[in-house]
PDB file of all heavy atoms in Angstrom:
ATOM      1  N   PRO S 292     -26.035 -19.684  15.139  1.00 86.00           N
ATOM      2  CA  PRO S 292     -24.929 -18.831  14.684  1.00 86.00           C
ATOM      3  C   PRO S 292     -25.078 -18.467  13.211  1.00 86.00           C
ATOM      4  O   PRO S 292     -25.719 -19.186  12.449  1.00 86.00           O
ATOM      5  CB  PRO S 292     -23.708 -19.720  14.898  1.00 86.00           C
ATOM      6  CG  PRO S 292     -24.226 -21.105  14.652  1.00 86.00           C
ATOM      7  CD  PRO S 292     -25.630 -21.114  15.177  1.00 86.00           C
ATOM      8  N   TYR S 293     -24.497 -17.343  12.824  1.00 91.00           N
ATOM      9  CA  TYR S 293     -24.499 -16.926  11.420  1.00 91.00           C
ATOM     10  C   TYR S 293     -23.398 -17.614  10.624  1.00 91.00           C
ATOM     11  O   TYR S 293     -23.484 -17.739   9.408  1.00 91.00           O
ATOM     12  CB  TYR S 293     -24.284 -15.413  11.328  1.00 91.00           C
ATOM     13  CG  TYR S 293     -25.517 -14.562  11.532  1.00 91.00           C
ATOM     14  CD1 TYR S 293     -26.700 -15.089  12.035  1.00 91.00           C
ATOM     15  CD2 TYR S 293     -25.488 -13.207  11.216  1.00 91.00           C
ATOM     16  CE1 TYR S 293     -27.816 -14.288  12.228  1.00 91.00           C
ATOM     17  CE2 TYR S 293     -26.597 -12.396  11.387  1.00 91.00           C
ATOM     18  CZ  TYR S 293     -27.753 -12.936  11.904  1.00 91.00           C
ATOM     19  OH  TYR S 293     -28.846 -12.131  12.076  1.00 91.00           O
ATOM     20  N   GLY S 294     -22.336 -18.022  11.302  1.00 88.00           N
ATOM     21  CA  GLY S 294     -21.125 -18.458  10.614  1.00 88.00           C
ATOM     22  C   GLY S 294     -21.279 -19.656   9.696  1.00 88.00           C
ATOM     23  O   GLY S 294     -20.494 -19.834   8.768  1.00 88.00           O
ATOM     24  N   SER S 295     -22.295 -20.472   9.921  1.00 88.00           N
ATOM     25  CA  SER S 295     -22.481 -21.669   9.104  1.00 88.00           C
ATOM     26  C   SER S 295     -23.583 -21.507   8.058  1.00 88.00           C
ATOM     27  O   SER S 295     -23.890 -22.447   7.326  1.00 88.00           O
ATOM     28  CB  SER S 295     -22.825 -22.858  10.014  1.00 88.00           C
ATOM     29  OG  SER S 295     -23.994 -22.577  10.774  1.00 88.00           O
ATOM     30  N   LYS S 296     -24.161 -20.307   7.974  1.00 94.00           N
ATOM     31  CA  LYS S 296     -25.280 -20.091   7.051  1.00 94.00           C
ATOM     32  C   LYS S 296     -24.813 -19.509   5.721  1.00 94.00           C
ATOM     33  O   LYS S 296     -23.709 -18.991   5.595  1.00 94.00           O
ATOM     34  CB  LYS S 296     -26.335 -19.191   7.710  1.00 94.00           C
ATOM     35  CG  LYS S 296     -27.011 -19.875   8.904  1.00 94.00           C
ATOM     36  CD  LYS S 296     -28.056 -19.018   9.546  1.00 94.00           C
ATOM     37  CE  LYS S 296     -28.848 -19.812  10.582  1.00 94.00           C
ATOM     38  NZ  LYS S 296     -28.034 -20.273  11.708  1.00 94.00           N
ATOM     39  N   SER S 297     -25.688 -19.572   4.711  1.00 95.00           N
ATOM     40  CA  SER S 297     -25.326 -19.136   3.362  1.00 95.00           C
ATOM     41  C   SER S 297     -25.322 -17.616   3.247  1.00 95.00           C
ATOM     42  O   SER S 297     -25.921 -16.903   4.061  1.00 95.00           O
ATOM     43  CB  SER S 297     -26.323 -19.700   2.347  1.00 95.00           C
ATOM     44  OG  SER S 297     -27.588 -19.077   2.508  1.00 95.00           O
ATOM     45  N   ARG S 298     -24.655 -17.127   2.208  1.00 96.00           N
ATOM     46  CA  ARG S 298     -24.626 -15.696   1.930  1.00 96.00           C
ATOM     47  C   ARG S 298     -26.048 -15.138   1.778  1.00 96.00           C
ATOM     48  O   ARG S 298     -26.369 -14.074   2.328  1.00 96.00           O
ATOM     49  CB  ARG S 298     -23.825 -15.441   0.647  1.00 96.00           C
ATOM     50  CG  ARG S 298     -23.779 -13.976   0.220  1.00 96.00           C
ATOM     51  CD  ARG S 298     -23.031 -13.828  -1.101  1.00 96.00           C
ATOM     52  NE  ARG S 298     -21.667 -14.321  -0.996  1.00 96.00           N
ATOM     53  CZ  ARG S 298     -20.638 -13.570  -0.609  1.00 96.00           C
ATOM     54  NH1 ARG S 298     -20.817 -12.304  -0.278  1.00 96.00           N
ATOM     55  NH2 ARG S 298     -19.419 -14.096  -0.551  1.00 96.00           N
ATOM     56  N   GLU S 299     -26.901 -15.847   1.041  1.00 97.00           N
ATOM     57  CA  GLU S 299     -28.256 -15.367   0.793  1.00 97.00           C
ATOM     58  C   GLU S 299     -29.031 -15.227   2.092  1.00 97.00           C
ATOM     59  O   GLU S 299     -29.782 -14.263   2.287  1.00 97.00           O
ATOM     60  CB  GLU S 299     -28.989 -16.311  -0.162  1.00 97.00           C
ATOM     61  CG  GLU S 299     -28.450 -16.327  -1.579  1.00 97.00           C
ATOM     62  CD  GLU S 299     -27.104 -17.042  -1.702  1.00 97.00           C
ATOM     63  OE1 GLU S 299     -26.754 -17.859  -0.804  1.00 97.00           O
ATOM     64  OE2 GLU S 299     -26.385 -16.772  -2.690  1.00 97.00           O
ATOM     65  N   THR S 300     -28.863 -16.189   2.982  1.00 97.00           N
ATOM     66  CA  THR S 300     -29.565 -16.141   4.266  1.00 97.00           C
ATOM     67  C   THR S 300     -29.070 -14.979   5.116  1.00 97.00           C
ATOM     68  O   THR S 300     -29.872 -14.244   5.715  1.00 97.00           O
ATOM     69  CB  THR S 300     -29.368 -17.467   5.029  1.00 97.00           C
ATOM     70  OG1 THR S 300     -29.968 -18.514   4.273  1.00 97.00           O
ATOM     71  CG2 THR S 300     -30.002 -17.408   6.407  1.00 97.00           C
ATOM     72  N   ILE S 301     -27.765 -14.769   5.158  1.00 97.00           N
ATOM     73  CA  ILE S 301     -27.198 -13.686   5.957  1.00 97.00           C
ATOM     74  C   ILE S 301     -27.655 -12.328   5.420  1.00 97.00           C
ATOM     75  O   ILE S 301     -27.958 -11.412   6.192  1.00 97.00           O
ATOM     76  CB  ILE S 301     -25.659 -13.763   5.982  1.00 97.00           C
ATOM     77  CG1 ILE S 301     -25.196 -15.081   6.618  1.00 97.00           C
ATOM     78  CG2 ILE S 301     -25.065 -12.582   6.733  1.00 97.00           C
ATOM     79  CD1 ILE S 301     -25.688 -15.311   8.019  1.00 97.00           C
ATOM     80  N   ILE S 302     -27.718 -12.188   4.107  1.00 98.00           N
ATOM     81  CA  ILE S 302     -28.206 -10.933   3.520  1.00 98.00           C
ATOM     82  C   ILE S 302     -29.666 -10.699   3.911  1.00 98.00           C
ATOM     83  O   ILE S 302     -30.063  -9.586   4.286  1.00 98.00           O
ATOM     84  CB  ILE S 302     -28.040 -10.943   1.990  1.00 98.00           C
ATOM     85  CG1 ILE S 302     -26.553 -10.878   1.624  1.00 98.00           C
ATOM     86  CG2 ILE S 302     -28.799  -9.781   1.352  1.00 98.00           C
ATOM     87  CD1 ILE S 302     -26.272 -11.056   0.142  1.00 98.00           C
ATOM     88  N   ARG S 303     -30.479 -11.749   3.863  1.00 98.00           N
ATOM     89  CA  ARG S 303     -31.901 -11.616   4.229  1.00 98.00           C
ATOM     90  C   ARG S 303     -32.052 -11.221   5.694  1.00 98.00           C
ATOM     91  O   ARG S 303     -32.823 -10.317   6.034  1.00 98.00           O
ATOM     92  CB  ARG S 303     -32.631 -12.926   3.948  1.00 98.00           C
ATOM     93  CG  ARG S 303     -34.094 -12.933   4.378  1.00 98.00           C
ATOM     94  CD  ARG S 303     -34.848 -14.100   3.766  1.00 98.00           C
ATOM     95  NE  ARG S 303     -34.275 -15.377   4.148  1.00 98.00           N
ATOM     96  CZ  ARG S 303     -34.592 -16.035   5.279  1.00 98.00           C
ATOM     97  NH1 ARG S 303     -35.468 -15.522   6.117  1.00 98.00           N
ATOM     98  NH2 ARG S 303     -34.044 -17.205   5.552  1.00 98.00           N
ATOM     99  N   TYR S 304     -31.311 -11.882   6.570  1.00 98.00           N
ATOM    100  CA  TYR S 304     -31.364 -11.531   7.995  1.00 98.00           C
ATOM    101  C   TYR S 304     -30.943 -10.077   8.212  1.00 98.00           C
ATOM    102  O   TYR S 304     -31.568  -9.339   8.982  1.00 98.00           O
ATOM    103  CB  TYR S 304     -30.425 -12.435   8.798  1.00 98.00           C
ATOM    104  CG  TYR S 304     -30.859 -13.869   8.955  1.00 98.00           C
ATOM    105  CD1 TYR S 304     -30.030 -14.779   9.622  1.00 98.00           C
ATOM    106  CD2 TYR S 304     -32.068 -14.342   8.454  1.00 98.00           C
ATOM    107  CE1 TYR S 304     -30.406 -16.106   9.789  1.00 98.00           C
ATOM    108  CE2 TYR S 304     -32.443 -15.666   8.602  1.00 98.00           C
ATOM    109  CZ  TYR S 304     -31.600 -16.548   9.268  1.00 98.00           C
ATOM    110  OH  TYR S 304     -31.958 -17.853   9.422  1.00 98.00           O
ATOM    111  N   SER S 305     -29.865  -9.669   7.546  1.00 98.00           N
ATOM    112  CA  SER S 305     -29.336  -8.313   7.729  1.00 98.00           C
ATOM    113  C   SER S 305     -30.331  -7.269   7.259  1.00 98.00           C
ATOM    114  O   SER S 305     -30.517  -6.239   7.920  1.00 98.00           O
ATOM    115  CB  SER S 305     -28.007  -8.159   6.983  1.00 98.00           C
ATOM    116  OG  SER S 305     -27.028  -9.055   7.496  1.00 98.00           O
ATOM    117  N   ARG S 306     -30.997  -7.525   6.135  1.00 98.00           N
ATOM    118  CA  ARG S 306     -32.027  -6.596   5.647  1.00 98.00           C
ATOM    119  C   ARG S 306     -33.129  -6.401   6.693  1.00 98.00           C
ATOM    120  O   ARG S 306     -33.560  -5.280   6.967  1.00 98.00           O
ATOM    121  CB  ARG S 306     -32.671  -7.137   4.367  1.00 98.00           C
ATOM    122  CG  ARG S 306     -31.876  -6.985   3.101  1.00 98.00           C
ATOM    123  CD  ARG S 306     -32.783  -7.285   1.906  1.00 98.00           C
ATOM    124  NE  ARG S 306     -32.021  -7.370   0.672  1.00 98.00           N
ATOM    125  CZ  ARG S 306     -31.820  -8.503  -0.003  1.00 98.00           C
ATOM    126  NH1 ARG S 306     -32.317  -9.650   0.453  1.00 98.00           N
ATOM    127  NH2 ARG S 306     -31.131  -8.496  -1.130  1.00 98.00           N
ATOM    128  N   GLN S 307     -33.607  -7.507   7.242  1.00 98.00           N
ATOM    129  CA  GLN S 307     -34.687  -7.444   8.229  1.00 98.00           C
ATOM    130  C   GLN S 307     -34.274  -6.616   9.439  1.00 98.00           C
ATOM    131  O   GLN S 307     -35.045  -5.768   9.924  1.00 98.00           O
ATOM    132  CB  GLN S 307     -35.078  -8.857   8.673  1.00 98.00           C
ATOM    133  CG  GLN S 307     -35.736  -9.688   7.586  1.00 98.00           C
ATOM    134  CD  GLN S 307     -35.891 -11.152   7.990  1.00 98.00           C
ATOM    135  OE1 GLN S 307     -35.286 -11.603   8.961  1.00 98.00           O
ATOM    136  NE2 GLN S 307     -36.689 -11.890   7.249  1.00 98.00           N
ATOM    137  N   ILE S 308     -33.068  -6.831   9.918  1.00 98.00           N
ATOM    138  CA  ILE S 308     -32.603  -6.131  11.113  1.00 98.00           C
ATOM    139  C   ILE S 308     -32.379  -4.649  10.829  1.00 98.00           C
ATOM    140  O   ILE S 308     -32.733  -3.783  11.638  1.00 98.00           O
ATOM    141  CB  ILE S 308     -31.316  -6.788  11.648  1.00 98.00           C
ATOM    142  CG1 ILE S 308     -31.617  -8.229  12.079  1.00 98.00           C
ATOM    143  CG2 ILE S 308     -30.733  -5.985  12.807  1.00 98.00           C
ATOM    144  CD1 ILE S 308     -30.384  -9.078  12.313  1.00 98.00           C
ATOM    145  N   ILE S 309     -31.808  -4.340   9.675  1.00 98.00           N
ATOM    146  CA  ILE S 309     -31.565  -2.931   9.333  1.00 98.00           C
ATOM    147  C   ILE S 309     -32.887  -2.185   9.196  1.00 98.00           C
ATOM    148  O   ILE S 309     -33.019  -1.041   9.634  1.00 98.00           O
ATOM    149  CB  ILE S 309     -30.709  -2.817   8.058  1.00 98.00           C
ATOM    150  CG1 ILE S 309     -29.295  -3.334   8.343  1.00 98.00           C
ATOM    151  CG2 ILE S 309     -30.649  -1.370   7.567  1.00 98.00           C
ATOM    152  CD1 ILE S 309     -28.451  -3.530   7.106  1.00 98.00           C
ATOM    153  N   ARG S 310     -33.889  -2.823   8.611  1.00 98.00           N
ATOM    154  CA  ARG S 310     -35.209  -2.179   8.527  1.00 98.00           C
ATOM    155  C   ARG S 310     -35.760  -1.879   9.919  1.00 98.00           C
ATOM    156  O   ARG S 310     -36.326  -0.801  10.167  1.00 98.00           O
ATOM    157  CB  ARG S 310     -36.188  -3.069   7.754  1.00 98.00           C
ATOM    158  CG  ARG S 310     -35.922  -3.151   6.264  1.00 98.00           C
ATOM    159  CD  ARG S 310     -37.076  -3.826   5.534  1.00 98.00           C
ATOM    160  NE  ARG S 310     -36.707  -4.182   4.173  1.00 98.00           N
ATOM    161  CZ  ARG S 310     -36.459  -5.421   3.762  1.00 98.00           C
ATOM    162  NH1 ARG S 310     -36.569  -6.435   4.614  1.00 98.00           N
ATOM    163  NH2 ARG S 310     -36.119  -5.662   2.513  1.00 98.00           N
ATOM    164  N   PHE S 311     -35.608  -2.835  10.820  1.00 98.00           N
ATOM    165  CA  PHE S 311     -36.064  -2.634  12.201  1.00 98.00           C
ATOM    166  C   PHE S 311     -35.338  -1.453  12.839  1.00 98.00           C
ATOM    167  O   PHE S 311     -35.966  -0.570  13.459  1.00 98.00           O
ATOM    168  CB  PHE S 311     -35.833  -3.915  13.010  1.00 98.00           C
ATOM    169  CG  PHE S 311     -36.003  -3.745  14.491  1.00 98.00           C
ATOM    170  CD1 PHE S 311     -37.267  -3.666  15.055  1.00 98.00           C
ATOM    171  CD2 PHE S 311     -34.890  -3.652  15.326  1.00 98.00           C
ATOM    172  CE1 PHE S 311     -37.425  -3.494  16.424  1.00 98.00           C
ATOM    173  CE2 PHE S 311     -35.040  -3.489  16.691  1.00 98.00           C
ATOM    174  CZ  PHE S 311     -36.315  -3.406  17.241  1.00 98.00           C
TER     175      PHE S 311
END
Side-chain angles (χ1 to χ4, degrees):
Y293 278 13
S295 58
K296 293 181 171 64
S297 69
R298 177 183 301 272
E299 292 73 21
T300 296
I301 299 302
I302 291 173
R303 176 166 60 86
Y304 289 177
S305 298
R306 283 192 189 110
Q307 292 170 346
I308 297 166
I309 292 168
R310 288 191 193 106
F311 168 77

